[in-house]
Amino acid sequence: MDDQHMTRASRPHVLCDAVNLMVDPRHMLAAPCLKHRPNYLCNFGTTYNRYLPGAFGMACTSAIKSLNEFPRDHLQDIMDSMARITPETAAQVQSREALPSLLVTREVTEHVNVFHTLTDLLNVYISLRMLGLEHQSRQVIMMDRHTPGPLDGLWPAVAAGAGFAALNTSLDRLSSGGPGTVRQLHTLNKTMLKQAIFVPPGYTSLLYAHGHEDNSCPYNTALFKGFREWFLGTLSLPSQGPSRAGQPVRVVLISRKPYGKKKRVARQIRNEQELFAMVEQTPGVQAHLIDLAQISLAEQIQLVSSGTDLLIGMHGAALAWSLIMPPGTALLELWPQPNMWRLYEHTAQWAGLHYRCWVSHDKMPLIVSEPPTSVDVQAIAALSKALVAAVHKR
């Protein structure tokens, strides 16, 4: 598929479902870059795999006419290493896996980002849904070697289906396999996978569609309803909460602050306390100012999926959590300058949320050293009151 609304570099958009795929890690080397996408994010250590001929194999003649049938985001590298295996080669296989296996390659540095992780998980859901496997036992095989990150627990808990308790799992704890587990490709023996699903990489995501354009389908869609129900259902969290008619609208204002070893973060609000005071004073609301980096992954998911009616925040990855907010709730996005990507506007529409945007007309580079934005509290107050009224009607 070649979706003209999506980024050119990720085309064509391909889902590969392989039967009896042999993987042989002896023909894989740690590498800083992808072979067919050189010089892109190559300064973060040897956290990708370089696939030599024979790294993958199938007992059939390839029907691939050109590597251009696949995107340069990982799949060209994989298909370029594909070999035809003989009965003698197959007899040398050391282990056989009957469980459906999701083969995933994440983008380095993006794997610690909520938005990019959700693009990966949305592609996992689409792959499972297309193949009728979303309710079946499965495992995940990671095809990258990236350092552990704060969102790692989503892979065993959601992608592999292990459930809520697995949210605390770190991917540096190697698993021996089985339902609900995540394994590292380069640690396997020579293995035959009965069903191997190459999940499209996160950059190949419809969340990038219409980046700076009006949404061609600005409506609540079955795809995003299904994704939310699958995501929360896997974690045994309710996708439909009890009626809150007559109760205060729960407003969460996201605070962006330095975390870990970072001394600065971009897109902070200079007059954050003034803005929060205004939100608190809005009739009929219960307001919270929260730095998401200071609460656990499980707490973040519970907060946005069942504890938030109106989410307010500066343009940034945390707004992607709006994908799992209940339909009929609301998102108020604050832009530090005009002409930002309209990703969160579109995802809010697809998820069935009310959406408004406040835009600063300052023009400055979107870098960590940028000064905080002074927001127009009165203008945001008017937008938030309109959204509170809309939420009250659900």
Side-chain angles (χ1 to χ4, degrees), residues 94-296:
Q94 296 169 286
S95 61
R96 297 177 184 273
E97 301 279 351
L99 201 65
S101 301
L102 295 163
L103 277 62
V104 175
T105 307
R106 303 164 298 166
E107 301 292 345
V108 66
T109 72
E110 310 286 34
H111 70 291
V112 299
N113 177 290
V114 173
F115 173 81
H116 291 285
T117 298
L118 287 177
T119 64
D120 282 318
L121 290 174
L122 179 61
N123 282 349
V124 167
Y125 170 70
I126 291 172
S127 301
L128 292 172
R129 185 72 180 85
M130 290 179 66
L131 298 171
L133 299 173
E134 68 268 36
H135 301 301
Q136 292 194 24
S137 297
R138 55 193 181 270
Q139 66 177 348
V140 171
I141 298 177
M142 283 296 180
M143 302 179 70
D144 61 64
R145 308 176 188 223
H146 302 333
T147 55
L151 304 173
D152 284 357
L154 289 169
W155 289 100
V158 179
F164 190 84
L167 284 172
N168 293 323
T169 303
S170 173
L171 296 190
D172 59 353
R173 302 175 193 166
L174 297 181
S175 169
S176 59
T181 62
V182 178
R183 308 170 73 182
Q184 301 287 348
L185 178 67
H186 63 277
T187 66
L188 300 182
N189 296 318
K190 189 174 183 179
T191 301
M192 185 73 74
L193 302 175
K194 183 176 182 180
Q195 183 173 21
I197 302 139
F198 290 98
V199 177
Y203 284 174
T204 303
S205 173
L206 59 85
L207 296 187
Y208 288 101
H210 310 288
H212 294 280
E213 309 166 348
D214 288 338
N215 193 345
S216 63
C217 180
Y219 308 108
N220 187 8
T221 66
L223 171 62
F224 285 87
K225 179 178 184 290
F227 172 71
R228 180 176 183 274
E229 291 177 349
W230 169 79
F231 185 103
L232 296 176
T234 303
L235 299 174
S236 299
L237 295 175
S239 60
Q240 296 294 331
S243 172
R244 288 187 49 80
Q247 299 186 47
V249 171
R250 299 162 299 181
V251 180
V252 171
L253 173 61
I254 297 175
S255 178
R256 292 175 62 92
K257 296 185 183 299
Y259 60 92
K261 297 181 179 179
K262 292 188 175 183
K263 297 181 179 179
R264 298 285 299 274
V265 294
R267 282 164 276 145
Q268 290 183 283
I269 300 173
R270 185 185 301 278
N271 52 338
E272 180 178 86
Q273 289 301 323
E274 180 187 2
L275 176 61
F276 180 64
M278 176 278 299
V279 173
E280 279 192 306
Q281 295 167 9
T282 304
V285 308
Q286 182 183 76
H288 302 277
L289 178 64
I290 297 180
D291 178 2
L292 294 181
Q294 299 304 314
I295 64 176
S296 70

Side-chain angles (χ1 to χ4, degrees), residues 49 92 95 98 149 175 194 247 251 260 316 318 342 346 349 360 362 369 394:
N49 284 316
Q92 298 171 8
S95 61
S175 169
K194 183 176 182 180
Q247 299 186 47
V251 180
R342 298 170 65 179
H346 299 156
Q349 292 167 337
S360 169
D362 294 336
S369 60
R394 75 182 178 106

